[in-house]
Amino acid sequence: MIHSHNVFNYPSPQHPARMEPYIIKLPRYLDTRGNLSFIEEDTHLPFKIRRVYWIYDVPGGEIRGGHAFRQTEELIVGLSGSFEVVLHNGYKEFRYLLNRSYYGIYVPKMIWRMLDNFSTNSLALIIASTEYFDADYIRDFEEFRELCTE
Ligand code: TYD
């Protein structure tokens, strides 16, 4: 896994307006009593926190996501266990294995996402830049790709 302290957006070389996901490494305090990590909005996130949700008790073989957001930006953290995050920005795919609780994947808006290969007892924490609103979802991949070329 690539280590990165970069918390700023950078555009794709092929398309200056299109953002790419990237890894955010979170602080980690190692201690014989147990380890501690944290997230501070202004220090670690390129957006303001409006919502936090988590995905848990995922049965083996199930897939979460399968959509993109028009506006919402997110940070996905694998708090426990492991799972894979597959992202697509309309021309390029990005794959991440989240199996450490001090890594987050920053997902800009207009990125198709799928979460799969959840291990037993895995826990995905998602920090989002918007409150939940259904109109933000794009659930059809072809529609997503067409919107990406606009
Ligand atoms: P959904 O976004 O489809 O889950 P996934 O993360 O796998 O893509 O959400 C599942 C259901 O939960 C859906 O009916 C909407 C509801 N929901 C909320 O009410 N608030 C939220 O913040 C989220 C993420 C989902």
Side-chain angles (χ1 to χ4, degrees), residues 39 52-55 75-80 83 98 123-127:
I39 300 169
V52 177
Y53 62 96
W54 47 99
I55 296 172
L75 183 77
I76 304 175
V77 183
L79 280 190
S80 151
F83 56 89
L98 278 178
L123 174 59
L125 178 77
I126 296 118
I127 297 174

Side-chain angles (χ1 to χ4, degrees), residues 51 53 55 63-67 69 126 132 137 139:
R51 176 166 48 117
Y53 62 96
I55 296 172
I63 297 172
R64 299 296 311 216
H67 51 72
F69 295 125
I126 296 118
Y132 175 80
Y137 281 68
R139 293 193 173 86

Side-chain angles (χ1 to χ4, degrees), residues 77-92:
V77 183
L79 280 190
S80 151
S82 69
F83 56 89
E84 289 179 49
V85 180
V86 185
L87 304 174
H88 204 290
N89 71 353
Y91 78 100
K92 188 174 163 190

Side-chain angles (χ1 to χ4, degrees), residues 7 27-28 39 48 50 60-61 77 79 90 108 119 143:
V7 295
R28 175 162 84 118
I39 300 169
K48 293 289 179 192
R50 297 297 299 275
V77 183
L79 280 190
S119 71
E143 181 190 353

